[in-house]
Amino acid sequence: MIRKLPPELIREIAAGEVISSPADVVRELLENALDAGATRLYIELWGGGLDKIVVSDNGLGIPKEELELALEHHTTSKLTDLQNIHTLGFRGEGLWAIRQAAQVRLTSRPPQQLGGATLTAFQDKTELYEHPAPAGTRVEVTALFHHLPARRNALEAPAAEGRKVVHLVSRYLLHRPEVALRLVVDGEEKIAHAGGGFAEVAKLLWGSVVANRLLPLEAAEGPFTLRGLLSRPELSRPRRDRLLLALNRRPVEWPEPLLQAVLAAYKELLPTGQFPLGVLNLDLPSEHLLINTSPDKSRVRLIRPEAILGFVSQAVQGLLAAHPLARALPEPTPLAGPAPVQRAHFPRLRYLGSFRELYLLAEAGDELYVVDQHAAHERILYEELSRRYREEPPLELPHPELLSLSLGEEMNLAERLEALEQAGLQIEPFGPGKYRVRTIPAFLAGYPSLVGEVVKGSLGASSFAVAWRTVLARLACLPAIKAGHPLASASAQALLDALAGCELPWVCPHGRPTVLVLGEGELARRFGRRGVRAVVEPSPHRTE
């Protein structure tokens, strides 16, 4: 029998789409405060948020004649049309949903208003009264889901729900470091930030060890701006949980093309399966962004993304190119490392000698470099191959090479034909599961046995770009100078000079470092010397 649902059940269902946990309540109130221009926030949590949640701000406030309207369904001051969303909240149902799930006490006063007002509300019941109040807004939410035992029982323990709120508030603070924020959970202060920049928040939330390895990023091009922090290549994680993105100041999940643009900018600096750490704020015109209008507004889609992806990729590449990326020699004791070297490019190295017929010792300025000759030669050959396939025309084989491809390779071939032709590989069908290679890149001339390996390699991995880098890295590895191969001084110096001329000299194509560096100041400290260098002749009565 079909019947209409009663109004109270409709309210519970609708409210549950927006509010399912204390973290959802905090998110709605936090976003309202930020949308109101708040620069100071105080958040208090009791019993994991089930007993009480308090959010106070110094924002614009709500006029007393609009307080009751603010808690009605689909009422908002933020939205005029879906093509111009400039605020975190816009659906106009956050406060209404909280009112259905808990008891709400909303106190507010705009700075220009004489006296404030408080509205208490729970479901259909409301009460409004006026009184003196400071400028801003204070929302107190108590007894969350007290009348809905099924929802309350579905929640985790209060401590776990509290941790979710701490994580949520931390995320917003990372993207809004200028906001002064204090978070107290069950009487214990969890976050106390007086306002500042990205580096200060990263140090507060992630610790100084991580923060000191984050590089500040600021770039602008036309209508696009990108600000934040990204980690040096040696600081990475197998998960992307600490690589955070906000689009137009809204914390969102990564659109996959944008994430791949950032990872591609690191190239071989990041090992496969690793992600950098960082927080990025990307601002772009609203016409380039489609925001999911469901209660979960964290999923967005880029519209006409090509220019955005190019801008982000160039910004990250520029950031990495502007910093020395040689990794420091490991510490034998837990002492503080040397100060970062203030230079932006790979230096001209002077060969000093070798160790174990694998590591070249060289100097530049006041630093000692240890160079892995195999890794360095791999990088040189890899960039030479990359240059040749881009610049040299492909060669037509006098006798096409016949190959058998698997079903997966055939599917990738159909998607990558254009990219393969640009790389110099022209492949055409030649019967069921059979294909013949008509042209090859010029650098494969004289190596017919490698044609099949190159083709199959370029049809693997998740994308052609990744697969092709893997192919070139493999080809560079084969002829590279091996461990145990002695180099004459002239050959070693030539290798160092060629490495300095590389676009990305810091790592081999597989992501291993090519060089490690140790400054003279660090050497002096480890040897217990009083200064960096004794530049005067020691007296006969003094030894060092």
Side-chain angles (χ1 to χ4, degrees):
M1 178 179 176
I2 299 175
R3 58 187 175 83
K4 283 190 174 183
L5 293 175
E8 62 272 12
L9 187 55
I10 294 174
R11 287 199 301 267
E12 288 182 15
I13 293 172
E17 294 177 349
V18 181
I19 303 299
S20 61
S21 70
D24 292 331
V25 175
V26 174
R27 178 188 290 107
E28 294 292 341
L29 300 181
L30 179 60
E31 290 187 350
N32 282 345
L34 294 173
D35 284 340
T39 59
R40 293 194 309 275
L41 284 166
Y42 172 75
I43 302 172
E44 191 177 355
L45 210 67
W46 294 93
L50 295 171
D51 296 338
K52 184 165 72 170
I53 297 170
V54 178
V55 177
S56 302
D57 67 66
N58 67 336
L60 296 175
I62 304 171
K64 58 187 175 185
E65 61 271 13
E66 296 181 7
L67 273 180
E68 290 188 279
L69 189 62
L71 269 68
E72 293 298 322
H73 201 196
H74 294 312
T75 58
T76 180
S77 62
K78 304 175 183 180
L79 184 67
T80 54
D81 67 83
L82 292 176
Q83 308 304 317
N84 291 287
I85 297 175
H86 300 288
T87 54
L88 295 171
F90 55 84
R91 291 168 51 90
E93 59 182 354
L95 291 174
W96 176 85
I98 296 172
R99 167 184 173 178
Q100 307 307 315
Q103 297 179 24
V104 179
R105 182 183 179 87
L106 171 60
T107 301
S108 192
R109 178 175 77 83
Q112 69 278 10
Q113 179 178 290
L114 184 62
T118 292
L119 176 72
T120 60
F122 176 62
Q123 296 190 338
D124 289 335
K125 300 176 182 178
T126 63
E127 183 180 352
L128 177 69
Y129 56 94
E130 300 180 23
H131 56 85
T137 300
R138 183 181 190 271
V139 184
E140 181 178 315
V141 178
T142 55
L144 181 63
F145 300 140
H146 184 74
H147 62 299
L148 301 171
R151 289 196 186 277
R152 194 176 180 101
N153 292 337
L155 296 173
E156 297 184 46
E161 295 296 337
R163 284 193 294 270
K164 292 178 185 178
V165 171
V166 174
H167 178 76
L168 171 78
V169 173
S170 300
R171 172 75 189 274
Y172 277 78
L173 185 58
L174 281 162
H175 292 295
R176 304 270 186 144
E178 71 280 3
V179 174
L181 186 145
R182 184 167 175 247
L183 171 64
V184 176
V185 178
D186 291 323
E188 181 183 354
E189 189 173 73
K190 295 293 186 180
I191 297 176
H193 176 61
F198 291 105
E200 288 84 1
V201 174
K203 186 175 182 180
L204 172 70
L205 299 177
W206 292 347
S208 58
V209 173
V210 170
N212 291 339
R213 287 167 173 78
L214 299 176
L215 304 175
L217 171 60
E218 188 161 350
E221 181 181 303
F224 308 135
T225 62
L226 183 64
R227 298 176 63 246
L229 302 168
L230 275 177
S231 64
R232 294 173 57 87
E234 66 266 23
L235 180 63
S236 63
R237 289 166 67 88
R239 304 183 304 278
R240 57 188 186 188
D241 56 332
R242 284 199 178 180
L243 181 59
L244 308 176
L245 173 69
L247 291 177
N248 291 351
R249 310 301 298 275
R250 175 190 303 281
V252 296
E253 297 178 11
W254 279 90
E256 192 61 26
L258 197 57
L259 175 63
Q260 293 305 319
V262 171
L263 297 180
Y266 274 83
K267 298 183 179 177
E268 301 82 42
L269 289 168
L270 277 179
T272 303
Q274 294 287 308
F275 296 89
L277 284 70
V279 51
L280 293 178
N281 283 0
L282 175 60
D283 292 325
L284 59 161
S286 57
E287 61 264 25
H288 285 280
L289 195 61
L290 180 62
I291 299 172
N292 189 346
T293 56
S294 71
D296 181 7
K297 303 185 287 288
S298 65
R299 295 185 183 91
V300 298
R301 193 176 76 189
L302 298 177
I303 302 173
R304 300 186 302 277
E306 293 78 13
I308 302 169
L309 300 181
F311 163 68
V312 170
S313 180
Q314 290 181 7
V316 177
Q317 289 182 42
L319 170 71
L320 297 172
H323 290 81
L325 301 178
R327 305 180 188 184
L329 285 168
E331 288 276 4
T333 58
L335 300 173
V341 182
Q342 298 302 314
R343 56 175 164 72
H345 302 291
F346 196 89
R348 171 74 162 79
L349 300 179
R350 187 173 73 86
Y351 176 67
L352 301 175
S354 67
F355 175 68
R356 302 288 291 174
E357 296 182 336
L358 172 58
Y359 303 107
L360 307 182
L361 306 180
E363 67 174 351
D366 60 353
E367 293 175 314
L368 173 68
Y369 281 76
V370 181
V371 181
D372 183 322
Q373 66 183 30
H374 175 73
H377 198 205
E378 270 190 325
R379 165 52 59 181
I380 295 164
L381 294 174
Y382 173 83
E383 295 203 4
E384 175 67 14
L385 292 173
S386 300
R387 182 192 61 78
R388 290 186 61 187
Y389 100 79
R390 289 194 304 266
E391 296 179 358
E392 298 179 356
L395 299 177
E396 186 168 354
L397 292 173
H399 304 288
E401 183 82 12
L402 193 62
L403 296 176
S404 297
L405 299 182
S406 68
L407 179 59
E409 290 170 339
E410 285 187 293
M411 294 175 64
N412 285 341
L413 175 63
E415 296 176 356
R416 301 178 186 179
L417 271 176
E418 183 178 350
L420 287 165
E421 288 190 10
Q422 290 178 353
L425 288 167
Q426 186 179 349
I427 305 170
E428 58 185 24
F430 194 70
K434 302 289 185 182
Y435 293 83
R436 58 182 182 180
V437 184
R438 299 295 302 269
T439 64
I440 59 172
F443 61 72
L444 279 179
Y447 301 98
S449 61
L450 295 178
V451 172
E453 181 180 345
V454 168
V455 172
K456 286 181 170 292
S458 64
L459 296 175
S462 57
S463 67
F464 174 76
V466 173
W468 192 242
R469 284 204 301 268
T470 303
V471 166
L472 295 184
R474 168 67 176 156
L475 295 177
C477 181
L478 293 174
I481 300 168
K482 301 298 188 290
H485 181 85
L487 288 179
S489 297
S491 298
Q493 184 62 60
L495 183 72
L496 297 176
D497 292 343
L499 181 64
C502 287
E503 177 187 352
L504 198 65
W506 311 102
V507 292
C508 80
H510 306 288
R512 293 190 302 108
T514 57
V515 297
L516 299 177
V517 64
L518 185 66
E520 186 180 3
E522 178 68 3
L523 281 171
R525 183 175 64 82
R526 293 190 186 182
F527 278 111
R529 297 177 67 89
R530 291 187 295 275
V532 172
R533 181 188 295 251
V535 294
V536 296
E537 291 295 329
S539 72
H541 303 292
R542 193 186 79 184
T543 58
E544 292 189 290

